Every structure is written in structure tokens, then in C-alpha cells.
Amino acid sequence: MVPPVFPATGPAGPAPTSGIPTSPAPAGPSREQRPAVQEYAGAALGGPPTAGPTDRTAPAGPDRLGVGGSPDGPVSAPPDAAGLTAPAPRRRLPVVLAVVLLLVLAGVGVAVVRPGPVADWLGGGAEDTRAEPAAPEPPPSAVLAGADPNAAEPTPDGVRAALDPLVRAAALGDRVNVSVADAVTGQSLFGRGADDGTVPASVTKLVTGVTVLAARGPGYRIPTRAVAGANPGEVVIVGGGDPTLAVDKNGFYPGAARLDDLARQVEQALGGAKPTKVIIDGSLYSGPGLEPGWDEDIPTGGYGSPITALMTDGARRDVAQAKRDHEAGNHAAVRVSEPDLTAGRAFARLFGLPNSAVSRGTAPVAGGDATAGAPGSELGKVESMPLVRLVDVMITDSDNIIAEALARQVALARDKPGSFVGAGAAMDEVAGELGLPADELSLADGSGLSRTNRISPSLLTDLITLAGNGSRPELAAIFGGLPVAAWSGTLGDRYETAGTEAGAGVVRAKTGTLSSVNAIAGLVTTKDGRLLTFAVLTDRVPGGSDSARVALDRIAATLASCGCR
């Protein structure tokens, strides 16, 4: 597929991934130049993941979040919604999705501009150093073709005839649960075990994203605070659960809150005095740092770490190396075993203190004395990027650490413990409040790494329909990060074979893979322009995952090429 061209954005600069592309995808490097995003493939693969096409929930890239790494940089939005004329030929997604997302972004104070080049979405700073092309680019081709809400709707009989042979593919194993529904009417078009709870792997992140947006709102920012300790010279850094917190400007996530900014605030509040001891308060979280249902190799395999209320750079040990590896296509990264202590020691070093000056503890309760430096008094605070951006990164890059942090935000918003158990209960509660079939949902974590998670395919199609129908505008933010078939994210190197290429550019979905588990859920536009939601979950996959992925892709590609009437 030839990358289409999109005009320059002008002084505002290129835009990152947030938004629902309802136009031809912008210009960028060919897929051969872009590394594919990995996800977690499970312990059965043996040993740490490599740069190959595993599916172990990849972390976010170093330049995914905005122009020049600014948390308040522009977010891309549909050209039509911005009042721009789209090139022909192309179809549009239902206007309600575009309008809903614009309302969400406006509500959190995020500027909206025409989508910029994909190269800048994936790695762009404020400066564009690419050389001018020697020859004119080819005419734009349709990528993520939109949908016509007035198009003919497939019939249940037509969809069944098209999909029945595909869902019985041997590569998918003997437990394949499927739901297909019309995105406009919500009518079910096909179901096979549609209401049965199935291991979802990283598709879980759709539930995490929707529930945290409902519970906290897209504009919420996670704070990290510093307060005066109980004794002179003590500073307590209070973890608020921001997994993207950086030490300095060289952090992994552009636009993240920074410890060096917090340190400057502390020193200013203390009148230039520097602390002599740093105490880490991670009491916001409770319970184990690792979920019991995770495979044994997750802490060492590069895609998971203990979940603590204070951490920096998603617990990556070597941020500079992680950036280089990410750009080369290897999205695993060695994680530290004690993320809270690592962050506390980094904070202490900013004051010239040794590691021995750092310990765990709790912040004293502030008393009536408002004097700076009084025990418990606030000395500084930094805040994460808005949740709309964190959800975007979580879904686009299948970032496990962000997912677990967001799941705990759901728990905290519902006054439940900041733990795996509390998060699972809270997400179930919020799902029920949203009218989703909560009895078809059982979550042990927010990332999908746990094999004890269960989600039904019909809950996922209901969730996607709810997020797009405009009744809950804040939920539309989940669409910004969904990968596009044969173009971006975990679908960037899929839908390229003769049996699946019909889905290229018209399937947008979240994927999930553990060993013996393959899942996909998202949106697809039919050849008649009808927008459908679909979810296919299978958790008894024989052999390797490559053939199962192709079999899954054939299902969505068939929906794309079939009028199914």
C-alpha cells in the first residue's frame, strides 16, 4: 500500500495520534521503514522477547505524545470535523464520532488541528528535519476509509454465511467466541459464544480505557506531590500513580511530569535549603505488585514490572537504551525490580544525596501550621498528561504499565483499594453503571496480562458502540489510539496477504496475544460503507500465534469485503 500524502499543518506543527482519522492517512515512511509494535506472547515462547513479531503489549514510544513533547500540544482530529475539505474518493465515519471527540478534546483544553504526517505522529518533535522529496508524492489513497451511516446494513444470515467457515479454522482452536454488530443501530449480526467470558489478553485495555475515562474524565491529571517530613530536613515524595513520570527532560514519555521540576519547587519552598533525607510514600497502592495470574517471565521479559504508586519512565532501567530499542522495533525493555525506590533515589540525586538517604515511609498529616516546611505541608506538585493522552498511549502501544496505573485510578475514583483486586472490582462496577453486561466481565488486572481475566465478545462490541454513539462523549477518546490495519500500531504489519488485504485501511482494532490466546476487537467498514463493530476471542489456540493472527484477520477482512446481505 502506497503511503498517501497529507498537506503540512503549518505553524501549529504536526499532530500526534489522538483523534479518529476519518481521512486518508497522512504521509509517512513506508511500513518497511517503521518497526512493528509488539505485544506480549506469554511464557511459552521461552525467554525474553526479541524484536520479532510477538504480541506482549508493547510500551509507548519516545515521541508519541505531541509536538515537541508538550503535554498541551495539538491533538489530531478528523479533517471534516475541523471544517476542511477531504480529498476524493473517500467515505466518512459517522459524524457523531468526529463531533464527540472534538467535544472531549475541547473539554480538556487540547487544541485540534488537521492530522500531521504519520512520521511525526510516531516520532515527531517540533522540528521537521526530513529532506524535501525529490519528486512529487503519488496521489492519496484511501486509508481507514470512512463509513456511510445510510449504507445498507448487512443481514444476520449474510454475515453468518460469510463467517461460519472462517471461525471454524483449525488455527484458531476449538474455542472461538465472536460478536459482530452494527455500529449505528447496535443490532447483533452474528454471535458464536458471544456472551461467554473468554481470556481477552490485551483487548482488556479497551475496558480499562472506557472505565477510567468514565470514572475520572479525559482531562484528569495524576499528581505527584512533595511534602515536608516529620523531622527537619526530611522531604516526602508522595506517589500518585503516574507511570510516565520522568526524572528530567530525557524521559521516555514526552510531555511527562518531571522530578527535576518537583525538586526545583521543593528548594524554592524551602528558601533555597536542600533536604537531607527523602522518604517515599507509596501508600496509595496496596496489595502485591505483581498479579498472581501473570506468567512467571513477565517481570523479566521486558513487558511488565511491579506496580507501585511512584515510578519513573514505566519502570524502565535504561531509558536511553529503551528509546533506541523502541526506534529499532524492539519494544521490550529491562524493568527495575523496585520502581518506587529507583524513583526516590533519582529524586534524591537531584539534591546531591546518596542512595542511603532514601527510605520508604508515609507522609505526616498536615496540621494547622501553614508555614512552608511544617510537617505535612506541601512543598511542590507536578501532574501527568491528561488521561485522554494516557489512554491514547495505552491503546496505541499496548502499554501494560500505563494500563495498570489507569486501572488503579478507576479504583481510587470509586473509593476502593488501589490494588489489583480493587481495580478489578471498580472496573466491573463502572461497566455496570455504563449499562454494559457486567456479569460477562471478570478482571484481575487492567493490562490483560493475567490469564484469569474473562470478557465476553458481546460486551466488547457493546462497549465500542457505546463509546461511539455520543451518549457518553468522554468515552470517544478510546478511538484515538486504535491501530489501523496495515498501517499503524500492532496492526501495522498485518492485513497484507491475499486473504486479508481487503481489511487494510478499513479495520481499526485492539489486538491481544498470550501464548494460546489470540484476540481482536474494533471497527470495520464494509464495502457498502456500513460501520460494524466486531470482537473475536480465542483462548485455546494450538501451536504458534502467527497462523492464528492470519485466521483472525481473515474474519475482519471478510466483513470489509462483504456486503453480507
Side-chain angles (χ1 to χ4, degrees):
M1 181 173 65
V2 177
V5 180
F6 216 82
T9 60
T17 56
S18 295
I20 305 174
T22 61
S23 67
S30 68
R31 276 193 306 281
E32 288 72 18
Q33 294 171 304
R34 298 198 309 269
V37 177
Q38 298 171 315
E39 285 184 90
Y40 174 47
L45 293 177
T50 65
T54 61
D55 197 305
R56 211 177 222 204
T57 342
D63 293 296
R64 182 79 69 171
L65 297 176
V67 178
S70 169
D72 295 316
V75 171
S76 64
D80 285 354
L84 303 175
T85 302
R90 55 165 284 221
R91 297 167 291 173
R92 293 177 294 175
L93 285 169
V95 174
V96 65
L97 292 181
V99 173
V100 164
L101 188 63
L102 286 173
L103 292 174
V104 170
L105 298 177
V108 298
V110 178
V112 179
V113 300
R114 190 173 187 170
V118 167
D120 289 320
W121 284 3
L122 300 183
E127 297 180 2
D128 187 349
T129 58
R130 294 172 296 168
E132 290 296 324
E137 295 282 353
S141 59
V143 175
L144 193 63
D148 177 0
N150 298 314
E153 183 179 354
T155 66
D157 287 344
V159 175
R160 184 181 305 109
L163 297 191
D164 256 342
L166 301 179
V167 299
R168 301 177 190 280
L172 294 176
D174 60 4
R175 184 173 148 90
V176 185
N177 294 332
V178 186
S179 175
V180 179
D182 184 84
V184 177
T185 66
Q187 178 187 351
S188 174
L189 298 174
F190 180 82
R192 170 181 162 136
D195 300 332
D196 294 347
T198 316
V199 181
S202 284
V203 170
T204 302
K205 294 181 177 71
L206 292 176
V207 177
T208 303
V210 160
T211 54
V212 77
L213 288 166
R216 284 294 201 200
Y220 183 79
R221 296 173 184 261
I222 303 172
T224 302
R225 300 168 54 241
V227 304
N231 301 304
E234 291 180 349
V235 169
V236 184
I237 180 168
V238 182
D242 177 9
T244 66
L245 182 68
V247 177
D248 53 31
K249 65 180 181 180
N250 299 314
F252 188 83
Y253 303 94
R258 291 163 40 179
L259 287 179
D260 59 352
D261 288 338
L262 186 62
R264 281 190 287 270
Q265 293 178 39
V266 168
E267 194 166 347
Q268 182 176 3
L270 295 177
K274 294 184 178 181
T276 58
K277 185 175 182 180
V278 171
I279 298 172
I280 304 159
D281 184 346
S283 59
L284 191 65
Y285 287 1
S286 59
L290 300 172
E291 206 285 313
W294 287 2
D295 290 343
E296 291 182 358
D297 66 334
I298 286 175
T300 59
Y303 293 93
S305 78
I307 306 302
T308 55
L310 178 66
M311 65 168 61
T312 54
D313 300 302
R316 291 169 179 83
R317 176 173 294 172
D318 187 336
V319 174
Q321 184 62 50
K323 286 183 178 182
R324 291 190 293 269
D325 289 345
H326 183 275
E327 291 170 359
N330 180 6
H331 305 292
V334 176
R335 313 284 170 149
V336 298
S337 59
E338 297 179 300
D340 55 343
L341 279 177
T342 299
R345 289 165 181 167
F347 187 63
R349 285 195 295 273
L350 294 170
F351 297 107
L353 299 176
N355 289 347
S356 59
V358 181
S359 61
R360 295 186 177 100
T362 56
V365 177
D369 186 355
T371 305
S377 63
E378 185 172 287
L379 303 176
K381 181 175 73 172
V382 292
E383 296 182 317
S384 72
M385 297 167 284
L387 280 188
V388 65
R389 292 187 178 279
L390 298 181
V391 169
D392 194 27
V393 175
M394 174 187 68
I395 292 177
T396 299
D397 296 312
S398 211
D399 190 308
N400 294 321
I401 309 302
I402 290 181
E404 297 303 343
L406 295 184
R408 278 165 171 72
Q409 288 300 318
V410 184
L412 297 171
R414 286 293 184 270
D415 296 320
K416 296 186 184 298
S419 64
F420 285 108
V421 173
M427 288 190 287
D428 187 271
E429 179 179 296
V430 174
E433 293 170 0
L434 292 171
L436 298 171
D439 59 335
E440 299 173 14
L441 175 70
S442 177
L443 297 180
D445 69 14
S447 63
L449 289 174
S450 177
R451 294 180 179 275
T452 62
N453 288 337
R454 296 293 184 272
I455 303 177
S456 73
S458 60
L459 182 144
L460 291 167
T461 52
D462 287 351
L463 177 150
I464 294 166
T465 299
L466 173 66
N469 67 16
S471 63
R472 295 292 300 256
E474 72 275 20
L475 307 185
I478 68 163
F479 295 114
L482 283 180
V484 179
W487 187 253
S488 65
T490 53
L491 294 182
D493 59 351
R494 292 169 62 166
Y495 293 87
E496 298 178 325
T497 65
T500 64
E501 61 186 6
V506 295
V507 171
R508 187 163 202 181
K510 181 73 193 78
T511 61
T513 305
L514 297 168
S515 58
S516 302
V517 176
N518 271 265
I520 188 168
L523 298 160
V524 57
T525 308
T526 71
K527 71 175 185 180
D528 293 327
R530 194 75 183 186
L531 187 68
L532 308 180
T533 65
F534 71 97
V536 187
L537 281 64
T538 177
D539 56 14
R540 295 177 188 169
V541 176
S545 61
D546 287 347
S547 58
R549 286 194 188 111
V550 174
L552 286 179
D553 294 347
R554 286 196 183 104
I555 294 172
T558 297
L559 291 172
S561 62
C562 173
C564 297
R565 293 196 299 275

